[in-house]
Amino acid sequence: MKGGSSYRARGRQFSLALAALVFTTILLCIWEKNPFINLAQDQFLLSSSEFTSELPEEFSLPVKEWSEEHNSDYIRPDKYAKVAQDEDITFRNSTLTSFTDEESDGHSRISSEVKVCNYAKGNWIQSNRTPLYSGQGCKQWLSEMWACRLTQRTDFSYEGFKWQPNDCEMPDFDRHAFMKRMQDKTIAFVGDSLGRQQFQSLMCMVTGGKETPEVEDIGKEYGLIVAEGNIRPDGWAFRFPTTNTTILYYWSASLCYLESLNASNPNSEVAMHLDRPPAFLSRFLDRFDVLILNTGHHWNRGKINANRWVMYVNGQPNQDRKLAAVGNAKNFTVHSIARWVDSQLPSHPRLKAFFRTISPRHFAHGEWNTGGSCDNMTPLSKGSGVSQDESSDAVVGSAVKGTRVKILDITALSDLRDEGHIARFSVKANTGIQDCLHWCLPGIPDIWNEILCAQI
């Protein structure tokens, strides 16, 4: 009897332990399924290279090199949902609940049961196809400084490759078929000069690099005119009358709403509202059918100081010491704009929104202002394939997770193409500073657009 009692006691203990294990497992599953709690699972430590400015048009002040890894003020991307809730900022009304495969507003949402094709996972393969346009011929849309065929460069082997995703169908770009699909639609790029490169690339792709005098400049409809004291407008907008397709670009290096603190003083400080979208987006979002956002390379202290930007949150100067760190401010803004766009999609059911990940830089042996260079001219010297499932840009990856905003993930595949930058070549044969940030066109941004077109 005594042995049987002991056996039953041990059985009860085992049952209780098993029940506790099952209960704990259920809790963990609930935790994993909650998109608000699990906004991002990856830790992301930004390096100083992510904070350098664009060039050659937008050289910034020298930036002190530092690493977020050693910065005690750094906030992980997965903490931004909590920060946003505490700050009660613009995207507070975003839908952050469990998702079905298709919402009533017509926008697909990611669910754990649906496997979304990963266009960023694949290989660069050699191709015999000619570029989609000529860098010498597409002078109507392409900035001269980015047309490497007009420079002293003699090696154009970087043009002879295409991207092949592992498990996604991505047919060669057909400009006529694409424009037919985009009939009566508007495509808008909003971001920095890498966004401008992607815009110019698409303009050359859809025209084949040929002169198209029938295309209408409709910049005035979007307020894109040369303001007093400026040398260029804040963007461009063009309409193709045959298909009534509009392609536009708006300059917004930070994706923040910028507001002069004293409109009568041209040297006034500017409120940089980290939690509000650019006024251009708020005003014209209802006109867009495809939206591509990007930011990243202007987030450095030198650029912020040079622009007299002052960080604001909730309409007030930021008082949060951790958020004042440039890396944290950038990550906070990326999450903010992604959640704001997501909150707008139910009332804009035809809109497809994309957040393009950061374009990699390839400076070696220094920065742009300290002798940095990118002299490699051999294609794929770093390898030809991307096998990772997660984006190399963990900030954008975490920001769009759980939203209807799609990721346009180009970071890892572009990182393999360091030979495709402007590098030391220029139209005027200048020597000195190298451009290891912007790309030769035709070139890598054309691939970004091919992936974009496949995802639309």
Side-chain angles (χ1 to χ4, degrees), residues 132 171-189 198-199 201-208 240 243-248 289-292 352 354 446 448-456:
L132 297 168
D172 289 341
F173 180 81
D174 183 320
R175 62 190 180 98
H176 300 292
F178 177 73
M179 292 301 280
K180 186 175 181 179
R181 286 170 55 202
M182 294 296 106
Q183 184 156 351
D184 301 321
K185 290 180 170 56
T186 296
I187 304 169
F189 294 90
Q198 192 174 357
F199 158 74
S201 162
L202 187 61
M203 291 296 295
C204 290
M205 288 169 66
V206 299
T207 60
F240 293 77
T243 58
N244 191 35
T245 303
T246 297
I247 303 177
L248 67 84
D289 297 276
V290 180
L291 171 65
I292 306 97
K352 295 180 184 294
F354 296 84
D446 303 333
W448 303 350
N449 281 325
E450 289 192 75
I451 297 174
L452 169 68
C453 296
Q455 289 186 253
I456 293 177

Side-chain angles (χ1 to χ4, degrees), residues 11-25:
R12 285 194 296 272
Q13 291 174 353
F14 177 78
S15 298
L16 289 172
L18 181 61
L21 178 61
V22 171
F23 181 70
T24 302
T25 302

Side-chain angles (χ1 to χ4, degrees), residues 143-412:
S143 294
E144 185 180 61
M145 63 182 177
W146 292 336
C148 287
R149 289 274 180 175
L150 301 179
T151 69
Q152 312 80 42
R153 184 165 184 158
T154 57
D155 182 354
F156 304 100
S157 57
Y158 63 89
E159 295 180 351
F161 295 85
K162 70 176 183 178
W163 179 250
Q164 181 59 57
N166 286 347
D167 304 309
C168 313
E169 183 180 353
M170 198 173 87
D172 289 341
F173 180 81
D174 183 320
R175 62 190 180 98
H176 300 292
F178 177 73
M179 292 301 280
K180 186 175 181 179
R181 286 170 55 202
M182 294 296 106
Q183 184 156 351
D184 301 321
K185 290 180 170 56
T186 296
I187 304 169
F189 294 90
V190 178
D192 55 29
S193 64
L194 276 304
R196 182 180 163 200
Q197 281 211 297
Q198 192 174 357
F199 158 74
Q200 291 190 4
S201 162
L202 187 61
M203 291 296 295
C204 290
M205 288 169 66
V206 299
T207 60
K210 297 178 173 62
E211 289 292 318
T212 47
E214 72 276 11
V215 174
E216 305 170 39
D217 182 344
I218 59 168
K220 287 185 178 180
E221 292 185 18
Y222 292 90
L224 301 176
I225 57 177
V226 181
E228 184 178 353
N230 292 351
I231 59 175
R232 65 174 67 89
D234 289 332
W236 295 265
F238 299 101
R239 179 176 294 141
F240 293 77
T242 304
T243 58
N244 191 35
T245 303
T246 297
I247 303 177
L248 67 84
Y249 162 76
Y250 178 73
W251 168 269
S252 180
S254 65
L255 294 183
C256 292
Y257 173 54
L258 301 177
E259 178 186 30
S260 174
L261 296 177
N262 184 352
S264 62
N265 180 6
N267 296 316
S268 168
E269 290 184 329
V270 177
M272 181 188 195
H273 294 277
L274 303 181
D275 53 351
R276 297 182 185 177
F280 182 85
L281 267 185
S282 299
R283 181 178 178 186
F284 295 111
L285 189 67
D286 61 340
R287 295 195 187 187
F288 303 157
D289 297 276
V290 180
L291 171 65
I292 306 97
L293 302 169
N294 91 281
T295 189
H297 291 291
H298 276 250
W299 288 89
N300 64 76
R301 183 58 62 183
K303 178 63 69 174
I304 289 174
N305 291 342
N307 288 326
R308 300 182 298 278
W309 289 344
V310 181
M311 295 180 188
Y312 270 56
V313 176
N314 272 335
Q316 301 293 328
N318 174 54
Q319 301 297 325
D320 187 332
R321 181 175 62 88
K322 290 184 180 295
L323 195 56
V326 174
N328 292 337
K330 175 218 170 188
N331 298 353
F332 183 83
T333 297
V334 169
H335 280 77
S336 171
I337 189 70
R339 297 293 161 175
W340 178 81
V341 172
D342 182 59
S343 73
Q344 301 301 305
L345 289 177
S347 56
H348 299 82
R350 75 174 192 271
L351 176 62
K352 295 180 184 294
F354 296 84
F355 210 126
R356 204 206 72 217
T357 60
I358 196 164
S359 174
R361 308 157 68 254
H362 290 97
F363 287 97
H365 312 299
E367 290 298 318
W368 66 266
N369 58 343
T370 58
S373 62
C374 45
D375 293 326
N376 176 49
M377 296 290 117
T378 303
L380 305 177
S381 59
K382 299 171 63 176
S384 61
V386 175
S387 59
Q388 66 199 46
D389 292 316
E390 298 296 323
S391 174
S392 292
D393 187 341
V395 174
V396 171
S398 66
V400 301
K401 185 177 290 186
T403 75
R404 289 154 290 201
V405 180
K406 301 178 186 297
I407 188 171
L408 180 55
D409 191 1
I410 56 85
T411 304

Side-chain angles (χ1 to χ4, degrees), residues 42 81 85 434:
D42 301 316
Q85 183 185 47
Q434 293 201 22

